Amino acid sequence: MQAVSIRTTQNVQLEYPLAGVADRVLAYIIDLFIVVSFFLVVQLFLMTMNAGLGMIGNLLIGIVAYLYRFVMEVFFNGQTVGKMALSIKVVKLDGSTPSIAAYFLRWLLELIDFTITGLAVILIILTKNGQRLGDLLAGTTVVKIKKISATNMQNKVLMDPVDEDYQPVFAEAANLTDEEVRLIKASLKAFREDAIAKPITILEDKLKEKYNISSELTTVKFLYTLLRDHTYYVSK
């Protein structure tokens, strides 16, 4: 699977798997179904109320329905209902959160991307970072995001909740696997209950080596910080 490398504001290089063409097209079809359904339901309701709106009214309803994808991406962190269903989202290539202007540019160019037969699909396949025209101009792409598994959900429940303004220390914590989280928790428990230090020391070394992390924190604080950062990322 193709991946895109994004350098975060913490100067950390992260890799995200690019959303496939099939996922993106299917997400678009789901969203299109929602848009069309909204338009038809409103029309049906008005017909039952004998309140026809005429051409201008229909145009206004159409504009409201068409704004759906733009509004969803702005308020739901780069996702629409279709994207949520396929576990994909819009991200900036520089690692920052897309601005309203970036979302608007993508939305504005959808007419070109999707009304010209095959243009979006061709560009997604041919461009390095899987970008359609709107993505190229907005500096964005669409990536697969990690589903919150039962293990991750348990981790969120067991860990203290993080504040909305919490600032993660290690961006690499976003890439921890479920197994690594389980091992961190098990080794910390062994240290806390039986004063067994070897597991946490070994785990600290392996995680620092795997994710290229440099830290002066003590072993216990380092591992707890990783867990809190991971909780922060999986809750987003």
Side-chain angles (χ1 to χ4, degrees):
M1 179 181 289
Q2 279 185 294
V4 59
S5 294
I6 296 177
R7 186 169 295 278
T8 69
T9 53
Q10 292 88 7
N11 201 33
V12 175
Q13 196 81 13
L14 298 179
E15 282 202 347
Y16 294 91
L18 287 172
V21 173
D23 285 340
R24 294 182 66 170
V25 170
L26 185 54
Y28 181 77
I29 291 173
I30 292 172
D31 291 331
L32 185 61
F33 175 79
I34 292 172
V35 169
V36 173
S37 297
F38 170 81
F39 183 81
L40 293 178
V41 167
V42 173
Q43 287 281 16
L44 183 61
F45 174 76
L46 292 175
M47 287 175 61
T48 60
M49 299 293 292
N50 294 318
L53 293 179
M55 183 180 297
I56 295 178
N58 289 334
L59 180 61
L60 289 175
I61 295 172
I63 292 173
V64 170
Y66 188 63
L67 280 167
Y68 150 79
R69 280 168 59 83
F70 168 64
V71 173
M72 281 289 296
E73 287 185 355
V74 169
F75 289 100
F76 289 88
N77 197 25
Q79 289 187 292
T80 59
V81 172
K83 288 184 174 69
M84 291 176 187
L86 276 297
S87 297
I88 60 179
K89 68 178 289 185
V90 179
V91 296
K92 288 279 285 184
L93 291 178
D94 62 4
S96 62
T97 300
S99 63
I100 293 178
Y103 287 130
F104 181 77
L105 193 55
R106 294 185 77 256
W107 171 79
L108 195 63
L109 291 169
E110 278 186 356
L111 284 175
I112 297 175
D113 276 322
F114 292 104
T115 55
I116 298 179
T117 305
L119 177 62
V121 173
I122 292 171
L123 288 175
I124 290 170
I125 292 173
L126 294 181
T127 55
K128 177 184 176 182
N129 295 316
Q131 296 168 286
R132 62 177 176 84
L133 182 60
D135 288 317
L136 289 169
L137 295 181
T140 59
T141 188
V142 180
V143 298
K144 290 285 285 185
I145 57 176
K146 189 175 183 180
K147 290 183 179 180
I148 300 179
S149 64
T151 304
N152 268 334
M153 187 61 69
Q154 184 183 44
N155 291 336
K156 288 174 66 178
V157 172
L158 292 177
M159 288 296 295
D160 292 332
V162 293
D163 297 330
E164 284 293 327
D165 58 351
Y166 176 76
Q167 294 296 319
V169 178
F170 304 112
E172 298 86 352
N175 295 325
L176 288 176
T177 65
D178 291 348
E179 179 64 15
E180 286 168 343
V181 171
R182 187 190 66 78
L183 287 173
I184 293 173
K185 295 172 76 67
S187 63
L188 286 171
K189 181 180 179 181
F191 178 76
R192 184 174 63 249
E193 295 180 356
D194 304 311
I196 302 175
K198 188 174 181 179
I200 61 173
T201 303
I202 293 174
L203 192 55
E204 177 191 28
D205 293 339
K206 287 186 177 297
L207 291 173
K208 283 183 174 180
E209 180 181 359
K210 177 180 178 179
Y211 294 107
N212 193 28
I213 299 174
S214 178
S215 173
E216 298 299 323
L217 296 175
T218 63
T219 301
V220 172
K221 190 170 184 179
F222 169 72
L223 293 177
Y224 271 117
T225 302
L226 271 184
L227 284 179
R228 286 183 62 79
D229 289 352
H230 180 75
T231 302
Y232 170 84
Y233 285 117
V234 299
S235 65
K236 294 299 178 181

